[in-house]
Amino acid sequence: MACAICNNRKEKRFCPAVHGRICPQCCGEQREVTLDCPSECVYLQQAREHERPRPIEELDKSALFPKVEIGQQFLYEQEHLILGLSYALAKSVQADRGIRDADLIAVLSTMARNYETLAGSGLHYEVPVTNLAHQAVASEVQKMVKEYREAEQKHVGYSRLRDSDVFQALVFLLRMATTRTSGRPKSRAFVDFLFRQFPEPQSAIAAPQEGSRIIVP
């Protein structure tokens, strides 16, 4: 039988995205481009096994806040903040399975710019987020930051979290997301990475896992 996509080459594998059988060439060319591949697809999983995080040197550095230096000391001191922000992203995607890597990258980029302005001038100017899905993600992240500050206030009597800390943490996650995504329009590689870090709904602030779960891009 012919491939369900090209109707030319012989089909050799079942594609859950089209609910039909397709040829290996269409699978490779259209994977996460025109095909909305589910994470459980064995061919997608096999392809990811051979994909490595994209070197940050090969990416558009201008979009990754190149002047921001994030050292090991910051990662050590703000590990729980980064875990909390990562959890907020994972929770957002669990609520809306239509969210892709590109959506998270767009939100992280916008929020990083907002916090850069806030940290530098104290002005609460925000770049508007018009996409409803992006608004939901941004809202979850802001909620997490608020809860983080409230937790600090409760335990130590005041909040030590600075806007500049949130800014740097968002830049770190933006770089991680950009290096971990395949770059294809419908990629969910970073989304699935977040799901592996937080397989069950839980608070990353109240009960962080033992040991570091931060993976430097």
Side-chain angles (χ1 to χ4, degrees):
M1 294 180 64
C3 167
I5 296 178
C6 66
N7 292 311
N8 183 24
R9 290 177 291 271
K10 185 178 180 181
E11 53 83 8
K12 290 188 177 180
R13 58 183 60 171
F14 178 77
C15 174
V18 300
H19 302 288
R21 299 186 65 82
I22 64 176
C23 67
Q25 183 170 335
C26 282
C27 178
E29 293 176 349
Q30 304 306 320
R31 181 184 302 125
E32 294 185 317
V33 177
T34 62
L35 298 177
D36 200 358
C37 306
S39 302
E40 61 270 16
C41 174
V42 295
Y43 301 106
L44 175 64
Q45 294 172 1
Q46 290 173 2
R48 285 182 179 169
E49 289 178 0
H50 300 286
E51 291 180 343
R52 296 173 179 254
R54 297 186 296 171
I56 199 167
E57 293 79 15
E58 299 179 4
L59 304 174
D60 179 9
K61 294 183 181 180
S62 63
L64 300 176
F65 300 86
K67 295 182 180 180
V68 178
E69 295 185 5
I70 301 175
Q72 291 296 327
Q73 184 66 23
F74 174 81
L75 298 180
Y76 173 76
E77 293 176 350
Q78 301 298 337
E79 178 179 1
H80 286 181
L81 171 62
I82 294 173
L83 286 174
L85 293 172
S86 300
Y87 172 73
L89 295 177
K91 187 177 179 181
S92 298
V93 182
Q94 287 167 349
D96 183 355
R97 294 305 180 104
I99 292 176
R100 304 182 179 116
D101 292 349
D103 297 306
L104 295 183
I105 289 172
V107 173
L108 287 169
S109 179
T110 297
M111 295 195 72
R113 290 198 299 273
N114 290 340
Y115 269 94
E116 181 181 32
T117 300
L118 187 58
S121 65
L123 298 176
H124 286 265
Y125 171 76
E126 293 190 2
V127 178
V129 179
T130 57
N131 184 297
L132 292 179
H134 293 187
Q135 287 178 5
V137 177
S139 177
E140 195 64 50
V141 171
Q142 291 285 40
K143 178 183 176 183
M144 179 268 142
V145 173
K146 180 175 180 291
E147 291 177 349
Y148 191 97
R149 285 184 163 132
E150 290 174 347
E152 282 190 327
Q153 183 72 36
K154 179 180 179 180
H155 288 94
V156 299
Y158 63 96
S159 178
R160 297 171 294 189
L161 183 63
R162 300 171 300 177
D163 292 327
S164 59
D165 297 328
V166 181
F167 167 55
Q168 286 184 272
L170 289 170
V171 170
F172 173 80
L173 289 174
L174 172 62
R175 292 173 180 174
M176 179 187 289
T178 306
T179 56
R180 287 194 167 273
T181 185
S182 69
R184 293 185 286 270
K186 298 187 177 185
S187 173
R188 286 170 56 88
F190 178 61
V191 166
D192 289 338
F193 166 77
L194 291 173
F195 282 163
R196 290 194 298 272
Q197 303 305 300
F198 303 97
E200 299 292 339
Q202 58 186 7
S203 172
I205 300 175
Q209 296 293 315
E210 293 184 3
S212 174
R213 297 167 77 174
I214 297 177
I215 299 179
V216 180

